Amino acid sequence: MTNCKKTINSLLAIACILLQTVQTASAQLKVVNDKLPALQQAFVDLRFGMFIHFNIPTYMNQDWADPEASPSLFNPTRLDCNQWAQAAKSANMSYGCLTTKHHSGFSIWDTKTTPYNVMNSPLKRDVVKEFTNAFRKAGLKVMLYYSILDTHHKLRPNSITPAHIKMVKDQVTELLTKYGKIEALIIDGWDAPWSRISYDDIPFEEVYLLIKKLQPDCLVMDLNGAKYPAEGMFYTDIKTYEMGAGQKVQEDKNRMPALACLPINSSWFWKDNFPTTPVKEPAKLVNDLIIPLNNANCNFILNVAPNKDGLIDDNALASLTEVGKLWNNKGPAATLPTLDAPIISHNLATGKPSNSSWSDDMNIMDFANDDRYTTSWVSNATVKNPWYEIDLKNATPFNAISITESHPNINQYRIEYFLNGSWKTIVNGDIKKM
């Protein structure tokens, strides 16, 4: 297939074209996609959980730690994950999620992949193990957070090696084989504007399928998913919204299973002023966040940061108790609509030669296949039958097509591919009949 062409009978404004070949043909991916709707529904039904940012930054009064900070800093002398679990129970939360590794690369589990880990700290205890055991004992489900960006190990833009990819896969394998059932792996520092590590630098599809192979029921959540259009699953099983960064789910329009996150304090990791600074008010947490988000297919995860001793501060504990008096999980949320499977593969159209009918001013054809959703190719309004074409240069198989509009303009469309000297129709579509 050397070309892919789309023709439309109305004004066309294409934000992004994706042509993909899913590597696994297959049986594994079919099983994954068949299971996904039920897992997404179960996640939305959980409604409310606890995020726990606890790592080297806890001891540095900053959210991003020095990547060369000594493991000797990590010394929670009164660490008690059971206290965390009981705090979550007091708020009627249904799960917890722990930062196993943040952006500076310190692992708080007994990993064989690097000496930069908790077993070489004064604690010498596997925090991930203690967390998972404590939360399960309290009847709470378990999720884990993992950062792709790793400044200690030089896993940064323009520096990524095969050894880095192996480390990511080995660390994910440890986390999903040593600690029992993990409901979700929340991944950060991937395809974010501040990390600049693309889904090709660390191959998303390979990591995604590894996770599903190790734990087929484990949801994959990329915390930077809000940069993609709200109407589809792009490189994630759950749409994510970091509210403190200005990302907000459209409560009146959202159809996707979603996650929104916010800290109970002013930032994610514990700071010296947290014990004496008011936390978010329980009534506002319930009425302004939990309830409206839940009504919009969105699970809310509230970050509660343990202090240097490894305990949650009294003011946060008191707030959580009050939340539990005001709110409880009333059971399954509204049934989610039928959704398409997530996009997980490399975009074959990126940077390939493109052509089109007359464009509108500076919005020329090259903006539709730059793999960015903030730019678009826009047809000139006088063109009655706009068309857009991607030249893949060589015969290239693909089995998934995604075309995203900047605005809902298209009524009818036809997608064709060029093979053996002629155009062949893949699909004739009518938006009004969908």
Side-chain angles (χ1 to χ4, degrees), residues 49-332:
M50 179 182 283
F51 219 164
I52 303 164
H53 275 63
F54 184 59
N55 205 284
I56 283 281
T58 304
Y59 299 87
M60 304 197 75
N61 219 40
Q62 298 184 39
D63 275 1
W64 284 49
D66 178 356
E68 301 306 321
S70 171
S72 64
L73 288 176
F74 192 80
N75 189 21
T77 55
R78 299 173 59 199
L79 176 66
D80 184 1
C81 295
N82 291 298
Q83 187 229 26
W84 307 352
Q86 290 308 310
K89 289 283 286 185
S90 75
N92 291 319
M93 293 171 168
S94 52
Y95 66 93
C97 180
L98 175 67
T99 52
T100 65
K101 186 183 78 166
H102 202 248
H103 309 322
S104 60
F106 185 74
S107 300
I108 59 171
W109 76 94
D110 185 6
T111 178
K112 306 305 179 189
T113 62
T114 174
Y116 198 56
N117 73 73
V118 69
M119 305 310 287
N120 292 313
S121 75
L123 183 66
K124 300 187 186 304
R125 287 157 48 188
D126 188 327
V127 182
V128 174
K129 181 177 181 180
E130 294 187 20
F131 159 75
T132 55
N133 287 345
F135 272 65
R136 288 199 187 100
K137 181 181 177 182
L140 298 163
K141 296 186 182 298
V142 169
M143 303 178 192
L144 300 176
Y145 164 109
Y146 176 83
S147 174
I148 293 288
L149 178 67
D150 185 333
T151 52
H152 177 83
H153 296 95
K154 309 292 190 290
L155 201 168
R156 304 190 310 260
N158 310 312
S159 302
I160 295 170
T161 67
H164 285 131
I165 297 171
K166 182 178 186 302
M167 183 185 76
V168 168
K169 292 179 177 179
D170 288 348
Q171 290 185 339
V172 166
T173 298
E174 288 180 342
L175 292 171
L176 295 182
T177 56
K178 295 174 62 175
Y179 303 103
K181 180 176 175 56
I182 305 301
E183 304 292 330
L185 189 64
I186 298 179
I187 302 178
D188 201 4
W190 212 353
D191 198 45
W194 42 266
S195 74
R196 295 169 295 134
I197 298 171
S198 76
Y199 293 132
D200 292 331
D201 294 334
I202 300 293
F204 184 90
E205 184 175 357
E206 292 180 22
V207 176
Y208 182 90
L209 293 175
L210 172 64
I211 293 168
K212 299 298 185 176
K213 179 180 179 181
L214 296 170
Q215 291 211 28
D217 291 347
C218 181
L219 290 165
V220 178
M221 285 184 244
D222 184 351
L223 268 186
N224 298 287
K227 66 180 285 187
Y228 293 98
E231 295 79 14
M233 288 296 175
F234 296 83
Y235 306 98
T236 189
D237 290 334
I238 302 290
K239 296 293 286 189
T240 59
Y241 298 87
E242 185 176 333
M243 300 181 73
Q247 301 168 6
K248 195 171 188 305
V249 62
Q250 293 181 287
E251 294 174 5
D252 58 334
K253 297 179 180 179
N254 181 54
R255 300 173 62 251
M256 302 289 157
L259 171 73
C261 57
L262 203 65
I264 196 170
N265 303 99
S266 58
S267 54
W268 296 101
F269 283 96
W270 189 85
K271 305 294 184 296
D272 291 343
N273 67 342
F274 277 12
T276 56
T277 302
V279 298
K280 289 181 174 61
E281 295 179 19
K284 289 186 176 180
L285 286 172
V286 172
N287 296 318
D288 297 349
L289 292 168
I290 302 173
I291 292 175
L293 288 169
N294 286 174
N295 289 339
N297 299 325
C298 187
N299 187 319
F300 179 57
I301 184 168
L302 178 68
N303 187 74
V304 184
N307 59 32
K308 292 179 181 179
D309 290 332
L311 299 173
I312 295 172
D313 290 328
D314 290 342
N315 55 352
L317 291 174
S319 181
L320 293 173
T321 298
E322 289 303 309
V323 168
K325 293 177 182 178
L326 297 170
W327 181 88
N328 60 75
N329 190 334
K330 299 186 183 301

Side-chain angles (χ1 to χ4, degrees), residues 319-376:
S319 181
L320 293 173
T321 298
E322 289 303 309
V323 168
K325 293 177 182 178
L326 297 170
W327 181 88
N328 60 75
N329 190 334
K330 299 186 183 301
T335 302
L336 293 167
T338 301
L339 303 171
D340 292 330
I343 290 166
I344 66 171
S345 304
H346 167 72
N347 184 4
L348 299 169
T350 302
K352 294 294 192 296
S354 59
N355 197 11
S356 73
S357 54
W358 185 13
S359 303
D360 185 21
D361 297 332
M362 295 189 301
N363 301 304
I364 62 174
M365 63 285 294
D366 305 302
F367 290 122
N369 66 324
D370 59 1
D371 211 32
R372 298 179 183 178
Y373 295 83
T374 55
T375 60
S376 299

